[in-house]
Amino acid sequence: MRRVYLTVVLVLMLLAGVAGYLYAQNFLDTKPTMQFSIPRNFGLLVTLYQQGTNTVFWFEAEDGTIRRVQMNSSTGEFDLNVWAITRE
């Protein structure tokens, strides 16, 4: 009798583990992800702030060039129109 009880408990634990794994995989597959890359030569991030539905990033490169990069916060997509302010 004890052996049957132990077998039932192990089967239930195995089923719970499989169900948890499948649920986790479903969550990972449907979770929204934002992937982006800002070139390293843009320099150091000086500041960022929220502007409406966008996040605005300001960078300063070693040569003094200041760049403004804008990202849509809801989609994670960058505006390809990057401002560059050069210095002499």
Side-chain angles (χ1 to χ4, degrees):
M1 183 69 177
R2 187 173 183 179
R3 192 172 251 191
V4 172
Y5 175 73
L6 184 59
T7 304
V8 168
V9 169
L10 288 175
V11 168
L12 289 175
M13 288 174 58
L14 179 64
L15 289 174
V18 169
Y21 175 78
L22 292 175
Y23 175 77
Q25 293 306 308
N26 260 350
F27 177 74
L28 290 175
D29 291 343
T30 59
K31 186 176 74 170
T33 58
M34 294 192 313
Q35 296 180 355
F36 53 86
S37 178
I38 297 172
R40 192 175 298 275
N41 68 347
F42 277 22
L44 295 174
L45 177 65
V46 177
T47 189
L48 63 101
Y49 56 87
Q50 197 70 26
Q51 185 178 42
T53 61
N54 296 318
T55 302
V56 179
F57 302 83
W58 287 93
F59 295 88
E60 184 174 8
E62 287 183 18
D63 65 356
T65 301
I66 299 171
R67 289 184 177 85
R68 175 186 164 267
V69 178
Q70 190 168 299
M71 179 184 75
N72 184 315
S73 300
S74 59
T75 65
E77 295 177 359
F78 281 97
D79 181 357
L80 298 179
N81 183 22
V82 175
W83 296 359
I85 304 168
T86 57
R87 295 174 155 178
E88 294 184 19

